[in-house]
Amino acid sequence: MAEEQVCGGTLYVVATPIGNLEDISLRALRVLRQVALIAAEDTRHSRKLLAHYGIGTPLTSCYAHNEADKSAALLDRLHQGAAIALISDAGTPAISDPGALLVQHCIAAGIPVVPVPGPCAAIAALCAAGLPTGSFCFDGFLPAKSSARRRQLASYVGLQRTLVLYEAPHRLCACLRDIVEQLGELQPVAVARELTKRHEELFRGSAVEALRHFSTQPVRGEIVLLLAPVAIATPRLELAEAVRQLLEQGLALRQIARQLAAGYDCSGSAIYALAQQLRDAQVSDESESR
Protein backbone atom coordinates (compact mmCIF):
# COMPACT_ATOMS: atom_id res chain seq x y z
CA MET A 1 0.00 0.00 0.00
CA ALA A 2 1.38 3.40 -0.98
CA GLU A 3 2.23 5.81 1.83
CA GLU A 4 -0.60 8.23 2.57
CA GLN A 5 0.25 11.85 1.79
CA VAL A 6 -1.13 14.87 3.61
CA CYS A 7 -3.74 16.88 1.70
CA GLY A 8 -3.50 20.63 1.23
CA GLY A 9 -6.14 22.78 2.88
CA THR A 10 -6.64 20.23 5.65
CA LEU A 11 -6.32 20.53 9.43
CA TYR A 12 -4.74 17.47 11.06
CA VAL A 13 -5.47 17.06 14.78
CA VAL A 14 -2.41 15.15 15.96
CA ALA A 15 -2.03 13.41 19.32
CA THR A 16 1.45 13.62 20.85
CA PRO A 17 3.06 11.77 23.81
CA ILE A 18 1.89 12.48 27.36
CA GLY A 19 5.32 11.53 28.67
CA ASN A 20 7.22 8.74 26.97
CA LEU A 21 8.34 10.04 23.55
CA GLU A 22 8.14 6.54 22.07
CA ASP A 23 4.34 6.66 22.31
CA ILE A 24 3.99 8.82 19.19
CA SER A 25 2.68 6.99 16.13
CA LEU A 26 4.51 6.58 12.82
CA ARG A 27 1.59 8.31 11.12
CA ALA A 28 1.82 11.29 13.47
CA LEU A 29 5.54 11.67 12.73
CA ARG A 30 4.90 11.54 8.99
CA VAL A 31 2.12 14.12 9.17
CA LEU A 32 4.23 16.47 11.30
CA ARG A 33 7.00 16.24 8.72
CA GLN A 34 4.77 16.78 5.69
CA VAL A 35 2.46 19.62 6.76
CA ALA A 36 3.38 23.22 5.97
CA LEU A 37 2.84 24.46 9.52
CA ILE A 38 2.34 23.10 13.04
CA ALA A 39 0.04 25.02 15.41
CA ALA A 40 1.28 24.19 18.91
CA GLU A 41 -0.01 25.02 22.38
CA ASP A 42 3.53 25.92 23.50
CA THR A 43 6.16 26.17 20.77
CA ARG A 44 9.01 25.91 23.29
CA HIS A 45 7.66 22.62 24.60
CA SER A 46 6.88 21.22 21.16
CA ARG A 47 10.33 22.06 19.77
CA LYS A 48 11.80 19.44 22.12
CA LEU A 49 9.57 16.74 20.63
CA LEU A 50 10.25 17.83 17.06
CA ALA A 51 14.01 18.07 17.67
CA HIS A 52 14.02 14.56 19.15
CA TYR A 53 12.65 13.21 15.86
CA GLY A 54 14.53 15.60 13.56
CA ILE A 55 11.40 17.42 12.35
CA GLY A 56 12.00 20.95 11.06
CA THR A 57 8.43 21.99 10.18
CA PRO A 58 7.71 25.64 11.12
CA LEU A 59 5.80 26.23 14.36
CA THR A 60 3.25 28.82 15.40
CA SER A 61 1.50 29.17 18.75
CA CYS A 62 -2.18 28.34 19.30
CA TYR A 63 -3.08 28.31 22.98
CA ALA A 64 -6.09 29.08 25.14
CA HIS A 65 -5.62 32.86 25.25
CA ASN A 66 -4.90 33.45 21.56
CA GLU A 67 -6.91 30.66 19.89
CA ALA A 68 -9.84 32.91 18.98
CA ASP A 69 -7.59 35.46 17.26
CA LYS A 70 -5.16 32.92 15.82
CA SER A 71 -7.92 30.87 14.21
CA ALA A 72 -8.52 33.55 11.56
CA ALA A 73 -4.88 33.50 10.43
CA LEU A 74 -4.79 29.71 10.38
CA LEU A 75 -8.03 29.58 8.38
CA ASP A 76 -6.46 31.92 5.81
CA ARG A 77 -3.49 29.57 5.42
CA LEU A 78 -5.83 26.59 5.08
CA HIS A 79 -7.95 28.38 2.46
CA GLN A 80 -4.72 29.08 0.53
CA GLY A 81 -4.07 25.33 0.37
CA ALA A 82 -1.66 24.79 3.25
CA ALA A 83 -1.87 21.63 5.35
CA ILE A 84 -1.66 22.39 9.07
CA ALA A 85 -1.17 20.10 12.07
CA LEU A 86 -2.65 21.03 15.44
CA ILE A 87 -0.89 19.69 18.55
CA SER A 88 -1.08 20.37 22.28
CA ASP A 89 1.66 20.10 24.88
CA ALA A 90 0.75 16.46 25.49
CA GLY A 91 -1.99 14.05 24.47
CA THR A 92 -4.91 14.77 22.17
CA PRO A 93 -5.72 18.40 21.26
CA ALA A 94 -9.16 19.78 22.24
CA ILE A 95 -9.54 17.29 25.12
CA SER A 96 -9.28 19.71 28.07
CA ASP A 97 -6.68 21.46 25.90
CA PRO A 98 -6.83 24.19 23.24
CA GLY A 99 -8.05 23.24 19.77
CA ALA A 100 -11.81 22.79 19.96
CA LEU A 101 -12.50 26.36 18.78
CA LEU A 102 -10.18 26.04 15.78
CA VAL A 103 -11.79 22.73 14.84
CA GLN A 104 -15.25 24.31 15.03
CA HIS A 105 -14.16 27.21 12.82
CA CYS A 106 -12.71 24.82 10.26
CA ILE A 107 -15.88 22.74 10.13
CA ALA A 108 -18.00 25.87 9.73
CA ALA A 109 -15.75 27.02 6.86
CA GLY A 110 -15.93 23.64 5.09
CA ILE A 111 -12.27 22.82 5.74
CA PRO A 112 -11.53 19.10 6.22
CA VAL A 113 -10.49 18.09 9.75
CA VAL A 114 -8.60 14.80 10.05
CA PRO A 115 -7.85 13.16 13.42
CA VAL A 116 -4.49 11.46 13.87
CA PRO A 117 -5.21 9.48 17.06
CA GLY A 118 -2.78 8.54 19.75
CA PRO A 119 -2.06 9.18 23.44
CA CYS A 120 -4.80 10.49 25.74
CA ALA A 121 -4.28 10.59 29.51
CA ALA A 122 -7.96 9.93 30.29
CA ILE A 123 -8.08 6.71 28.25
CA ALA A 124 -4.63 5.57 29.40
CA ALA A 125 -5.72 5.89 33.03
CA LEU A 126 -9.12 4.28 32.46
CA CYS A 127 -7.75 1.12 30.87
CA ALA A 128 -5.42 0.45 33.83
CA ALA A 129 -7.56 1.68 36.74
CA GLY A 130 -9.45 -1.57 37.30
CA LEU A 131 -12.82 0.22 37.36
CA PRO A 132 -15.77 -0.60 35.06
CA THR A 133 -15.08 0.46 31.46
CA GLY A 134 -18.28 -0.60 29.69
CA SER A 135 -19.73 2.86 30.24
CA PHE A 136 -17.78 5.90 31.37
CA CYS A 137 -18.00 9.69 31.43
CA PHE A 138 -15.17 12.18 30.96
CA ASP A 139 -15.95 15.39 32.83
CA GLY A 140 -12.71 17.36 32.51
CA PHE A 141 -11.54 19.41 35.50
CA LEU A 142 -13.68 19.76 38.61
CA PRO A 143 -14.30 23.32 39.87
CA ALA A 144 -11.40 24.87 41.77
CA LYS A 145 -13.58 26.22 44.59
CA SER A 146 -14.56 23.62 47.18
CA SER A 147 -18.25 24.60 47.42
CA ALA A 148 -18.77 24.30 43.66
CA ARG A 149 -16.72 21.10 43.58
CA ARG A 150 -18.88 19.53 46.31
CA ARG A 151 -22.04 20.40 44.39
CA GLN A 152 -20.68 18.78 41.26
CA LEU A 153 -19.59 15.67 43.16
CA ALA A 154 -23.06 15.39 44.70
CA SER A 155 -24.56 15.50 41.20
CA TYR A 156 -22.73 12.26 40.36
CA VAL A 157 -24.78 10.25 42.86
CA GLY A 158 -26.79 7.69 40.92
CA LEU A 159 -24.70 8.02 37.74
CA GLN A 160 -24.19 4.42 36.64
CA ARG A 161 -20.84 4.84 34.91
CA THR A 162 -17.19 5.35 35.77
CA LEU A 163 -16.16 9.00 35.98
CA VAL A 164 -12.85 10.18 34.52
CA LEU A 165 -11.63 13.58 35.72
CA TYR A 166 -8.52 15.72 35.52
CA GLU A 167 -7.20 17.46 38.63
CA ALA A 168 -4.37 19.83 39.44
CA PRO A 169 -1.77 18.31 41.79
CA HIS A 170 -2.05 21.11 44.36
CA ARG A 171 -5.84 20.52 44.62
CA LEU A 172 -5.84 16.71 44.72
CA CYS A 173 -6.05 16.31 48.52
CA ALA A 174 -8.75 18.97 48.86
CA CYS A 175 -10.69 17.20 46.12
CA LEU A 176 -10.32 13.83 47.85
CA ARG A 177 -11.57 15.36 51.11
CA ASP A 178 -14.66 16.59 49.29
CA ILE A 179 -15.17 13.13 47.78
CA VAL A 180 -14.99 11.58 51.26
CA GLU A 181 -17.56 14.08 52.49
CA GLN A 182 -19.95 13.91 49.55
CA LEU A 183 -19.66 10.29 48.42
CA GLY A 184 -18.37 8.51 51.51
CA GLU A 185 -15.05 7.19 52.78
CA LEU A 186 -15.44 3.87 50.94
CA GLN A 187 -16.05 5.40 47.49
CA PRO A 188 -13.72 3.45 45.15
CA VAL A 189 -11.28 5.68 43.28
CA ALA A 190 -8.14 5.46 41.20
CA VAL A 191 -5.53 8.19 40.91
CA ALA A 192 -3.13 8.11 37.97
CA ARG A 193 -0.13 10.40 38.29
CA GLU A 194 2.62 11.14 35.76
CA LEU A 195 1.41 8.49 33.30
CA THR A 196 4.12 7.05 31.01
CA LYS A 197 6.79 9.11 32.79
CA ARG A 198 9.65 8.01 35.05
CA HIS A 199 7.68 8.50 38.28
CA GLU A 200 4.39 7.03 37.03
CA GLU A 201 2.00 6.06 39.82
CA LEU A 202 -1.44 4.44 39.73
CA PHE A 203 -3.16 4.30 43.10
CA ARG A 204 -6.28 2.16 43.52
CA GLY A 205 -8.41 2.06 46.65
CA SER A 206 -11.07 3.92 48.64
CA ALA A 207 -11.34 7.70 48.75
CA VAL A 208 -10.13 7.86 52.36
CA GLU A 209 -7.18 5.57 51.58
CA ALA A 210 -6.23 7.78 48.65
CA LEU A 211 -6.46 10.86 50.88
CA ARG A 212 -4.15 9.29 53.45
CA HIS A 213 -1.70 8.20 50.75
CA PHE A 214 -1.42 11.53 48.96
CA SER A 215 -1.41 13.61 52.18
CA THR A 216 2.00 12.29 53.22
CA GLN A 217 4.00 14.50 50.84
CA PRO A 218 3.48 17.20 48.20
CA VAL A 219 1.73 15.91 45.08
CA ARG A 220 3.50 16.57 41.80
CA GLY A 221 2.74 15.91 38.15
CA GLU A 222 -0.32 15.51 35.94
CA ILE A 223 -3.32 13.85 37.62
CA VAL A 224 -6.19 11.73 36.28
CA LEU A 225 -8.81 10.98 38.95
CA LEU A 226 -11.33 8.19 38.40
CA LEU A 227 -14.45 7.39 40.42
CA ALA A 228 -16.33 4.11 40.34
CA PRO A 229 -20.08 4.44 39.60
CA VAL A 230 -21.83 6.12 42.55
CA ALA A 231 -25.01 4.09 42.89
CA ILE A 232 -26.93 5.70 45.76
CA ALA A 233 -26.64 8.51 48.27
CA THR A 234 -24.83 7.36 51.41
CA PRO A 235 -25.94 8.05 54.99
CA ARG A 236 -22.82 10.21 55.32
CA LEU A 237 -24.03 12.38 52.46
CA GLU A 238 -27.38 12.86 54.21
CA LEU A 239 -25.58 13.60 57.49
CA ALA A 240 -23.31 16.15 55.84
CA GLU A 241 -26.32 17.98 54.44
CA ALA A 242 -28.00 17.99 57.87
CA VAL A 243 -24.83 19.37 59.47
CA ARG A 244 -24.54 22.06 56.80
CA GLN A 245 -28.11 23.21 57.39
CA LEU A 246 -27.54 23.53 61.15
CA LEU A 247 -24.31 25.44 60.54
CA GLU A 248 -26.25 27.88 58.39
CA GLN A 249 -28.68 28.33 61.30
CA GLY A 250 -25.75 29.41 63.48
CA LEU A 251 -25.68 26.46 65.90
CA ALA A 252 -22.44 25.72 67.73
CA LEU A 253 -20.51 22.57 66.86
CA ARG A 254 -21.32 20.83 70.15
CA GLN A 255 -25.03 21.63 69.74
CA ILE A 256 -24.96 20.12 66.24
CA ALA A 257 -23.23 16.98 67.51
CA ARG A 258 -25.76 16.49 70.34
CA GLN A 259 -28.76 17.19 68.12
CA LEU A 260 -27.80 14.79 65.33
CA ALA A 261 -26.14 11.93 67.22
CA ALA A 262 -29.47 10.35 68.15
CA GLY A 263 -30.79 10.32 64.59
CA TYR A 264 -27.73 8.92 62.85
CA ASP A 265 -25.65 5.83 63.43
CA CYS A 266 -22.66 7.98 64.22
CA SER A 267 -20.91 9.12 67.41
CA GLY A 268 -21.18 12.69 68.65
CA SER A 269 -17.41 13.11 68.30
CA ALA A 270 -17.52 12.03 64.65
CA ILE A 271 -20.36 14.46 63.93
CA TYR A 272 -18.44 17.22 65.73
CA ALA A 273 -15.37 16.51 63.54
CA LEU A 274 -17.50 16.56 60.39
CA ALA A 275 -19.15 19.83 61.43
CA GLN A 276 -15.74 21.36 62.09
CA GLN A 277 -14.51 20.22 58.66
CA LEU A 278 -17.55 21.70 56.92
CA ARG A 279 -17.31 24.96 58.86
CA ASP A 280 -13.60 25.33 58.01
CA ALA A 281 -14.30 24.62 54.33
CA GLN A 282 -17.06 27.24 54.36
CA VAL A 283 -14.70 29.82 55.89
CA SER A 284 -12.07 28.93 53.29
CA ASP A 285 -14.59 29.37 50.42
CA GLU A 286 -15.67 32.77 51.79
CA SER A 287 -12.06 33.96 51.98
CA GLU A 288 -11.39 32.74 48.42
CA SER A 289 -14.37 34.70 47.09
CA ARG A 290 -13.21 38.00 48.64
Side-chain angles (χ1 to χ4, degrees):
M1 182 178 177
E3 184 180 89
E4 175 192 8
Q5 298 295 310
V6 301
C7 298
T10 299
L11 178 70
Y12 292 85
V13 183
V14 182
T16 55
I18 57 177
N20 193 318
L21 295 183
E22 294 181 355
D23 288 339
I24 196 165
S25 71
L26 295 176
R27 184 186 179 204
L29 291 174
R30 178 183 55 75
V31 168
L32 293 176
R33 288 191 176 99
Q34 292 181 355
V35 293
L37 181 67
I38 298 172
E41 181 179 3
D42 186 333
T43 56
R44 296 166 299 179
H45 181 92
S46 296
R47 279 195 183 95
K48 298 175 184 178
L49 172 68
L50 300 183
H52 181 82
Y53 286 104
I55 298 172
T57 306
L59 281 166
T60 188
S61 66
C62 183
Y63 55 96
H65 297 296
N66 81 343
E67 186 178 1
D69 294 332
K70 201 59 174 282
S71 292
L74 293 174
L75 284 170
D76 285 343
R77 291 290 304 273
L78 289 161
H79 281 304
Q80 292 167 16
I84 296 177
L86 172 68
I87 63 175
S88 60
D89 287 350
T92 302
I95 307 300
S96 283
D97 265 335
L101 185 60
L102 176 59
V103 169
Q104 291 166 8
H105 286 322
C106 286
I107 293 170
I111 292 170
V113 177
V114 176
V116 181
C120 176
I123 299 301
L126 179 65
C127 71
L131 299 177
T133 59
S135 178
F136 64 90
C137 173
F138 174 68
D139 212 11
F141 283 90
L142 288 170
K145 186 178 290 188
S146 182
S147 56
R149 186 166 58 234
R150 290 195 299 266
R151 286 193 296 271
Q152 186 155 327
L153 287 167
S155 74
Y156 296 147
V157 174
L159 187 64
Q160 295 296 301
R161 62 193 66 180
T162 296
L163 276 154
V164 185
L165 306 161
Y166 288 160
E167 189 52 276
H170 65 278
R171 288 200 301 263
L172 176 62
C173 288
C175 180
L176 289 170
R177 280 192 291 272
D178 287 340
I179 290 171
V180 168
E181 178 200 324
Q182 294 296 316
L183 306 180
E185 297 179 354
L186 301 181
Q187 168 64 39
V189 304
V191 181
R193 187 179 67 84
E194 291 289 81
L195 284 173
T196 80
K197 300 176 184 176
R198 180 179 301 174
H199 300 293
E200 176 180 283
E201 178 181 15
L202 221 170
F203 178 91
R204 307 170 184 89
S206 69
V208 73
E209 289 169 339
L211 179 58
R212 292 194 194 105
H213 175 79
F214 288 103
S215 294
T216 58
Q217 57 188 348
V219 181
R220 295 184 174 89
E222 303 295 327
I223 303 292
V224 183
L225 173 62
L226 304 99
L227 308 180
V230 185
I232 57 173
T234 65
R236 184 179 176 86
L237 177 59
E238 298 169 1
L239 174 59
E241 183 57 33
V243 169
R244 192 174 289 111
Q245 290 176 4
L246 293 179
L247 282 171
E248 290 174 355
Q249 295 172 23
L251 269 68
L253 301 186
R254 293 190 184 282
Q255 290 177 292
I256 293 173
R258 284 196 300 269
Q259 185 167 327
L260 295 180
Y264 289 86
D265 185 18
C266 194
S267 68
S269 60
I271 295 175
Y272 183 94
L274 175 60
Q276 188 173 40
Q277 179 187 30
L278 293 176
R279 183 198 62 186
D280 292 346
Q282 184 179 26
V283 171
S284 175
D285 287 347
E286 290 173 352
S287 64
E288 286 177 8
S289 63
R290 293 194 185 105

